[in-house]
Amino acid sequence: MRRVLVVVLATLAALFVAGPAQAHVGGGAAGSDFDGRVLGVTPAMPGVSVRVLQFGDEFELVNASNTEVLVPGYSDEPYLRIGPGGVWRNARSPATYINLNRFGRVTLPPDADPAAAPDWRQVSTEPSYVWHDHRTHWMSQGRLPPAVAADPTRSHQVFNWEIPMSYGGEAVVVAGELTWSPPPSPWLVWPLYVVLALVGALAGWARSPRPLGALLVVGAVAALWHAVATPAPPASLGSHTRAIVSALLPAVMVLLVGGLGLRASLRGRGVMTGLMAVLLGWLLLIEGLPDVDVLWSAHVLSNGPQVVARAAVAVLVALGAGLVIGGILAARRFQETARSADVVSGRLSV
């Protein structure tokens, strides 16, 4: 028992340090009430893809063509050149500095002048770039758009936006929209989260370890789905396949621990089931806590249905916490039961 406990604690310590870094691809928020999307590119740019990231907070352009794309700044000055040779940014464009901050809260250097001759500096050798384009997101921190503030019970289109570009000298417009949706009612979802946590904790009081073992399977399935539904990260951070593989690592560990715990529960090994529940509960928390903001947000970063994505995170966080408590209770209770049985057996043999 002591050896098993040492292994469990060592694994938890290692995963507590390394796990969160792989739990959420790309960092940033996993949930938001705002949502930005590209509606069209006119005319089309063959070999060039654009999309908004982080619910409109960031804009990504990937140029796989042999034609350079020029992106102007807010005063129509040269800002970005993205082409086969990589990404070049104009050091004299005010957008170079304004776009480094989500809300544009920067102090411009003296040489930031939209009328000055461009000073091109290479910032990447890859033909892709991500930046905070302030035309695609809401800029007033802590304040809702007027239409939303007037009626926060329904969805709103906050505004339409456009980003001008030049593709091989031809003018191009990327058009999109920013919307806002009301978050799920706390009176509806929070009782469910509490119930999930209580179910995990109370399973540790069951006479048999099998209920606890069944919950381990539920947690393992949620962890696997959460990993598979990982959205594609920005091109600058790596491929989608690599992101999925990275996200699957903690999920594979959860499946392994869940399988061991289920096997122990079916064999009536309550102490082992309890220890596996503690370990799996911590693994679920490590995977779910970086995305906990989806529990109170309208939109979720996921390749699957929004409702399922939110439910998976609820299982990871709420059921994970319950399993930690339930596992501790089960391990102690079944250990005491085993000791009592040994004492009774010893007395009978005497």
Side-chain angles (χ1 to χ4, degrees):
M1 179 63 63
R2 292 178 179 175
R3 292 177 180 177
V4 172
L5 186 59
V6 169
V7 172
V8 169
L9 292 176
T11 304
L12 286 176
L15 289 171
F16 185 78
V17 174
Q22 301 183 24
H24 180 62
V25 176
S32 175
D33 297 334
F34 288 96
D35 189 30
R37 62 177 61 88
V38 174
L39 298 179
V41 180
T42 308
M45 296 186 289
V48 178
S49 63
V50 294
R51 61 172 176 158
V52 291
L53 305 173
Q54 290 295 316
F55 312 102
D57 286 359
E58 296 178 334
F59 188 86
E60 178 189 62
L61 189 148
V62 180
N63 187 0
S65 72
N66 292 322
T67 303
E68 189 174 71
V69 174
L70 175 64
V71 182
Y74 303 113
S75 298
D76 203 33
E77 79 281 6
Y79 166 47
L80 292 173
R81 289 166 41 204
I82 306 174
V87 180
W88 297 77
R89 193 172 60 190
N90 180 13
R92 292 189 175 131
S93 168
T96 291
Y97 309 97
I98 296 173
N99 289 351
L100 295 177
N101 182 269
R102 165 66 175 80
F103 298 101
R105 295 170 182 166
V106 296
T107 300
L108 296 178
D111 59 347
D113 181 2
D119 178 11
W120 295 109
R121 300 182 185 181
Q122 189 167 24
V123 293
S124 175
T125 58
E126 299 295 325
S128 62
Y129 194 64
V130 176
W131 70 95
H132 290 293
D133 197 298
H134 302 311
R135 288 164 284 209
T136 67
H137 59 252
W138 181 246
M139 291 289 291
S140 299
Q141 186 178 20
R143 188 177 65 182
L144 292 174
V148 174
D151 185 6
T153 62
R154 64 184 184 89
S155 299
H156 297 270
Q157 182 187 61
V158 180
F159 54 70
N160 290 316
W161 52 262
E162 291 184 349
I163 300 178
M165 298 182 183
S166 176
Y167 179 73
E170 183 179 17
V172 177
V173 174
V174 179
E177 67 174 356
L178 181 70
T179 59
W180 184 94
S181 299
S185 171
W187 298 106
L188 176 64
V189 295
W190 282 101
L192 298 178
Y193 303 153
V194 173
V195 168
L196 270 176
L198 289 176
V199 166
L202 293 177
W205 286 103
R207 294 183 178 181
S208 168
R210 292 192 175 187
L212 199 58
L215 291 179
L216 299 185
V217 176
V218 174
V221 171
L224 181 62
W225 192 93
H226 181 259
V228 172
T230 296
S236 58
L237 294 182
S239 68
H240 191 196
T241 301
R242 185 181 302 173
I244 290 292
V245 172
S246 177
L248 278 174
L249 292 178
V252 169
M253 179 65 71
V254 169
L255 286 174
L256 176 61
V257 174
L260 292 174
L262 178 62
R263 181 182 179 185
S265 69
L266 294 177
R267 293 187 174 187
R269 298 178 178 177
V271 177
M272 179 61 70
T273 304
L275 291 176
M276 291 299 102
V278 174
L279 179 55
L280 188 135
W282 272 110
L283 290 172
L284 295 183
L285 287 171
I286 289 172
E287 187 174 353
L289 284 177
D291 296 344
V292 70
D293 50 347
V294 310
L295 299 182
W296 51 79
S297 302
H299 301 288
V300 181
L301 282 183
S302 175
N303 284 337
Q306 301 279 295
V307 174
V308 179
R310 188 176 292 106
V313 175
V315 170
L316 295 178
V317 176
L319 183 61
L323 286 175
V324 171
I325 298 173
I328 294 174
L329 295 175
R332 293 185 61 180
R333 189 170 62 82
F334 283 110
Q335 187 177 29
E336 292 174 357
T337 301
R339 288 177 179 174
S340 299
D342 291 340
V343 171
V344 172
S345 177
R347 289 177 179 176
L348 291 176
S349 62
V350 173

